[in-house]
Amino acid sequence: VDLVRRVQAMQEMARQARGTGKKIAFVPTMGALHDGHLSLVRRARELGDVVVVSVFVNPKQFGPAEDFTRYPRDLARDADLCIQESVDHLFAPEPDEMYPPGHRTFVDMEGLTTVLEGAARPNHFRGVLTVVMKLLHIVKPHFAFFGQKDAQQALVIRRMVKDLNLDAEIVVAPTVRHEDGLALSSRNAYLGPAERAAATVLSRALARARQLVEREEVRSARAVEAAVREVLAGEPRARIDYVAVVDAETLEPREEITGETLIPLAVFVGGTRLIDNALVRPPAAPRPPAGDLA
Ligand code: PAF
């Protein structure tokens, strides 16, 4: 794998690839790569002629009291994994390279970014959208890949691409889980053994929601949310940050579960904040065309 540290070098590479008619497939990450990321890289390998992975722990998307400084970093290991997956370019800039002194331009979005994760983490999505916009301009991909585990992030990125007429196709891939249901996340590394066991409560709560909506045909959002909270409350190491039952496209709270519905949750397990979500729909509801925003 070719390790690229400079924005200009990456842009030049991208220009050359595009110039020779190659399709660029791009997986942006913050490193500490796991099978969730690698599933995105494999999709990228299928769709692209040139596969680019970025590893950049983006300071602008962390709050002052969050885990930016202790976020896991292991570029040598990430590079090994990229070699195994036949990644062509690993773009890993330093913070000063991405945000040189004087940087003062940000991407902002109304509404969708101020609820759920955005309410819990002010300025988080401003940081995410800004870095993703920059990365799309630097890597110039035909396809860019994101995980459904960060459902709201995937939604706001699709919205930005549509609103600002960006020339990349956003591909959202399913959450990868451990056998016991826990969604893969770089932050799982913070969990001690007892917390790791307790952390399965997130996927258990979501499985209960799916059962209620899809098998027992419960339509009341309030009833489903209460059932999710009850499962979470059964785990003494877990503390709920939020649970919601919302429209999957607008993120507006639902009263009745009629169409495609997102159930996102954020839960502290010990000192570690984990997120997960389920997309559910009543048995009769038709699936919306994938990737289409109103
Ligand atoms: O999902 C992530 O890892 C990050 O939010 C992203 C998309 C790489 C932007 O920093």
Side-chain angles (χ1 to χ4, degrees):
V1 72
D2 164 44
L3 179 63
V4 185
R5 294 295 219 163
R6 296 280 176 206
V7 167
Q8 245 196 338
M10 189 65 244
Q11 275 179 318
E12 189 45 44
M13 216 94 76
R15 255 182 235 119
Q16 271 175 22
R18 278 199 169 242
T20 53
K22 295 203 166 119
K23 296 278 185 215
I24 303 175
F26 174 41
V27 182
T29 82
M30 300 205 300
L33 300 181
H34 52 62
D35 270 336
H37 298 115
L38 300 184
S39 77
L40 302 179
V41 171
R42 288 168 201 147
R43 288 289 301 278
R45 196 61 282 172
E46 283 167 21
L47 289 183
D49 304 308
V50 175
V51 174
V52 181
V53 171
S54 66
V55 168
F56 179 62
V57 185
N58 173 32
K60 305 284 186 200
Q61 71 187 70
F62 290 80
E66 292 180 1
D67 56 346
F68 173 69
T69 50
R70 69 177 191 124
Y71 196 87
R73 289 165 173 86
D74 190 345
L75 188 58
R77 182 175 168 280
D78 291 342
D80 278 343
L81 289 167
C82 286
I83 291 168
Q84 284 171 31
E85 299 295 333
S86 312
V87 170
D88 297 291
H89 305 289
L90 173 56
F91 178 51
E94 292 294 333
D96 269 3
E97 178 70 6
M98 285 296 273
Y99 301 108
H103 170 95
R104 51 177 69 245
T105 307
F106 293 85
V107 179
D108 224 331
M109 183 181 294
E110 297 175 348
L112 289 181
T113 57
T114 52
V115 297
L116 305 171
E117 276 303 278
R121 306 180 66 189
N123 284 329
H124 170 66
F125 286 117
R126 178 185 194 246
V128 169
L129 290 173
T130 300
V131 82
V132 169
M133 176 69 120
K134 285 166 68 68
L135 288 167
L136 292 176
H137 284 306
I138 295 165
V139 178
K140 309 184 196 308
H142 297 81
F143 306 99
F145 298 78
F146 298 87
Q148 174 63 20
K149 201 208 127 217
D150 297 288
Q152 190 177 5
Q153 168 173 284
L155 179 69
V156 302
I157 289 169
R158 286 198 291 133
R159 186 80 252 170
M160 173 179 77
V161 165
K162 182 158 180 125
D163 287 353
L164 299 182
N165 308 99
L166 302 182
D167 198 11
E169 184 178 322
I170 302 302
V171 182
V172 180
T175 302
V176 178
R177 297 179 181 281
H178 289 286
E179 233 167 71
D180 64 6
L182 177 66
L184 267 59
S185 162
S186 305
R187 289 192 169 96
N188 293 348
Y190 300 149
L191 301 169
E195 292 166 350
R196 170 65 187 78
T200 59
V201 76
L202 280 80
S203 57
R204 284 189 278 119
L206 292 170
R208 177 79 184 123
R210 187 179 297 288
Q211 180 192 13
L212 289 175
V213 176
E214 296 184 353
R215 300 228 181 279
E216 299 178 28
E217 306 201 16
V218 173
R219 292 285 173 276
S220 156
R222 190 187 300 202
V224 171
E225 184 180 322
V228 169
R229 286 180 183 275
E230 194 181 309
V231 175
L232 293 170
E235 173 47 66
R237 289 177 199 275
R239 181 167 60 80
I240 297 173
D241 190 357
Y242 65 78
V243 174
V245 179
V246 299
D247 180 284
E249 291 295 328
T250 65
L251 303 181
E252 278 162 17
R254 277 208 195 283
E255 280 180 27
E256 212 190 328
I257 298 176
T258 47
E260 181 127 271
T261 299
L262 181 70
I263 306 179
L265 42 84
V267 175
F268 285 94
V269 178
T272 302
R273 186 173 178 281
L274 300 175
I275 62 170
D276 200 350
N277 68 84
L279 259 184
V280 298
R281 69 183 69 73
R287 280 168 193 272
D292 247 25
L293 287 179

